């Protein structure tokens, strides 16, 4: 379906074409030196896409290291709040960017620089604004606080004819992921449980690999979309 308003955001349109797999690992790093072992563990577990949050000074150096270590990984920069951050993320090698909320200037800037952008939405008004900007791939955040999978289904109901795709994130644990994946509008589920900050601090790479493999198994066994 064509965007509602003109001109559409090219990055928003291309974001719908991102093949992120059933589960995307959300990672926050405090030490850039952890980047390569994190990537090794996630790839060994079958993860094909990650969101690296830009919440720490180590984030951008880690993003560059991850890009170098895994050229074919779908690598997203999370918590991109401004156009300047979008520029830095793209320069560091990000394939796409995400945000917890909806900032029109950042959406339009990412369109100009050709960086697929997934803005965050929590209300019908925000979805309406996002679609008017040409966005068709949206981050439902914070998912569990907004009613979980049932809340997303109800929120999307008035927009179902638009064929929007969602990435739910926020408070989702392994036991809840399947319920989201059962929703027709869900493209992928984001989870920080896979490579938690605590596991990264301990250097528990085998545990992260096991969590990644378990997450991918959830994706394969998710019930049919409803």
């Amino acid at each position: 379906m064509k965007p509602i308003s003109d001109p559409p955001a090219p990055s928003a349109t291309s974001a719908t074409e991102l093949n992120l797999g059933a589960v995307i690992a959300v990672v926050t790093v405090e030490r850039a030196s952890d980047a390569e072992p994190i990537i090794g563990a996630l790839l060994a577990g079958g993860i094909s896409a990650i969101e690296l949050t830009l919440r720490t000074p180590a984030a951008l150096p880690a993003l560059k290291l991850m890009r170098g270590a895994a050229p074919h990984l779908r690598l997203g920069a999370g918590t991109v709040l401004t156009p300047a951050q979008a520029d830095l993320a793209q320069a560091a090698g990000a394939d796409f960017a995400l945000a917890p909320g909806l900032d029109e200037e950042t959406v339009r800037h990412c369109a100009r620089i050709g960086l697929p952008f997934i803005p965050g939405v929590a209300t019908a008004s925000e979805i309406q604004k996002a679609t008017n900007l040409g966005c068709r791939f949206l981050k439902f955040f914070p998912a569990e606080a907004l009613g979980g999978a049932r809340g997303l289904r109800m929120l999307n109901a008035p927009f179902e004819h638009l064929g929007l795709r969602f990435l739910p994130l926020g408070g989702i644990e392994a036991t809840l992921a399947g319920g989201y994946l059962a929703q027709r509008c869900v493209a992928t589920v984001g989870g920080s449980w896979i490579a938690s900050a605590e596991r990264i601090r301990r250097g528990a790479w085998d545990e992260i690999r096991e969590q990644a493999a378990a997450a991918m198994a959830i994706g394969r066994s998710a019930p049919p979309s409803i």
Side-chain angles (χ1 to χ4, degrees):
M1 177 169 290
K2 294 182 179 179
I4 291 175
S5 62
D6 293 316
S11 64
T13 301
S14 60
T16 62
E17 299 169 2
L18 292 169
N19 182 17
L20 303 180
V23 181
I24 178 172
V26 180
V27 179
T28 300
V29 295
E30 297 171 357
R31 302 178 299 255
S33 58
D34 288 332
E36 292 189 24
I38 290 170
I39 286 295
L42 291 174
L43 289 175
I47 293 289
S48 60
I50 76 162
E51 173 191 341
L52 178 64
T53 67
L54 302 189
R55 300 180 190 173
T56 69
L60 284 170
L63 189 62
K64 292 180 181 178
L65 289 170
M66 288 180 175
R67 179 79 293 156
H72 303 299
L73 179 75
R74 287 292 191 182
L75 184 56
T79 324
V80 173
L81 308 178
T82 66
Q85 283 185 311
D87 288 335
L88 291 171
Q90 187 178 53
D95 295 309
F96 61 101
L98 311 93
L102 176 64
D103 178 72
E104 290 187 34
E105 184 181 1
T106 304
V107 171
R108 294 186 189 282
H109 181 74
C110 285
R112 286 193 293 271
I113 66 174
L115 181 66
F117 185 64
I118 306 173
V121 296
T123 67
S125 295
E126 289 171 347
I127 292 177
Q128 218 170 301
K129 184 179 291 186
T131 58
N132 285 335
L133 288 167
C135 301
R136 289 296 182 274
F137 197 167
L138 307 172
K139 178 175 173 178
F140 180 56
F141 180 84
E144 280 300 292
L146 296 172
R150 181 173 182 270
L152 174 57
R153 185 170 67 251
M154 295 175 67
L155 183 62
N156 181 57
F159 307 100
E160 193 166 3
H161 63 289
L162 298 178
L164 303 179
R165 303 290 281 164
F166 288 89
L167 163 58
L169 203 154
I172 300 174
E173 299 293 338
T175 55
L176 301 171
Y180 285 97
L181 291 170
Q183 307 302 313
R184 188 180 298 110
C185 64
V186 170
T188 184
V189 171
S192 57
W193 83 85
I194 300 168
S196 67
E198 185 271 334
R199 288 192 176 97
I200 293 172
R201 279 193 293 269
R202 288 193 290 111
W205 315 126
D206 286 343
E207 292 180 21
I208 291 174
R209 175 183 53 76
E210 292 167 0
Q211 289 295 315
M216 297 311 295
I218 291 170
R220 289 191 297 270
S221 63
S225 298
I226 57 176

